[in-house]
Amino acid sequence: EAGVTQFPSHSVIEKGQTVTLRCDPISGHDNLYWYRRVMGKEIKFLLHFVKESKQDESGMPNNRFLAERTGGTYSTLKVQPAELEDSGVYFCASSQPGTALEGYTFGSGTRLTVV
Amino acid sequence: AQTVTQSQPEMSVQEAETVTLSCTYDTSESDYYLFWYKQPPSRQMILVIRQEAYKQQNATENRFSVNFQKAAKSFSLKISDSQLGDAAMYFCAYKTSGTYKYIFGTGTRLKVLA
């Protein structure tokens, strides 16, 4: 089966611009997660979708970040306007319900650089 | 709040040798899971090994094994017979049972020397 796909793999934008990251989860996975790793720091939770609904967005840094999951399929994470501190690697992951011990399937991440 | 600490930003190991990556965590929960994930350069993060907190026996997956010390809240990863393909970032992660949110450490970059 296809894995979790993220694109772009890299994005370099100027401060103040808008960037949209996309994640295609494994088909049939109801749970979709976004995480972020700022350089040298831990990977931090951003939010969790169950199908098209936001289950938990407590990790979203501020209102410049907007996540959507259209029809419970792919998800987008938009940053508008981007700031320097938004630079990092954004990971998407998906899972089936009831598979806590099996872990998530992660994508390769999008490396965002804001200059 | 739960925390995960990886005190080794970078480690090196000679091919075919053994290396141990350290991880400590803090939690007041009694039922939880611990994981080691591996991320090769520019590739997806994959699950290496997992441990249920209620199990005393250390998990093993081929060349990968853990030393789980629940009282000390320690969860180290041992890689035996290291191979060039083991070179990656390794992340230790914690998850409370019944929740969906991982708590990750800062990662350890493992270099394997030929």
Side-chain angles (χ1 to χ4, degrees), chain B residues 56-87:
Chain B
Q56 293 186 345
Q57 186 172 6
N58 289 323
T60 299
E61 291 285 343
N62 301 313
R63 299 182 294 106
F64 299 86
S65 61
V66 297
N67 183 4
F68 174 46
Q69 302 289 328
K70 191 171 183 178
K73 294 180 180 173
S74 172
F75 183 62
S76 60
L77 175 69
K78 185 171 83 170
I79 306 174
S80 303
D81 185 25
S82 297
Q83 300 175 0
L84 294 177
D86 295 334

Side-chain angles (χ1 to χ4, degrees), chain A residues 34-79:
Chain A
W34 284 96
Y35 283 77
R36 177 175 75 170
R37 182 176 188 237
V38 173
M39 181 65 73
K41 298 198 173 181
E42 69 271 26
I43 300 171
K44 283 194 172 180
F45 169 83
L46 295 179
L47 85 159
H48 170 211
F49 282 100
V50 177
K51 297 184 180 179
E52 69 277 6
S53 300
K54 292 177 186 174
Q55 189 76 12
D56 181 354
E57 52 183 333
S58 62
M60 295 287 263
N62 50 61
N63 59 10
R64 295 184 293 103
F65 289 75
L66 175 64
E68 294 178 323
R69 189 178 182 192
T70 306
T73 56
Y74 71 91
S75 175
T76 57
L77 180 63
K78 183 163 72 173
V79 185

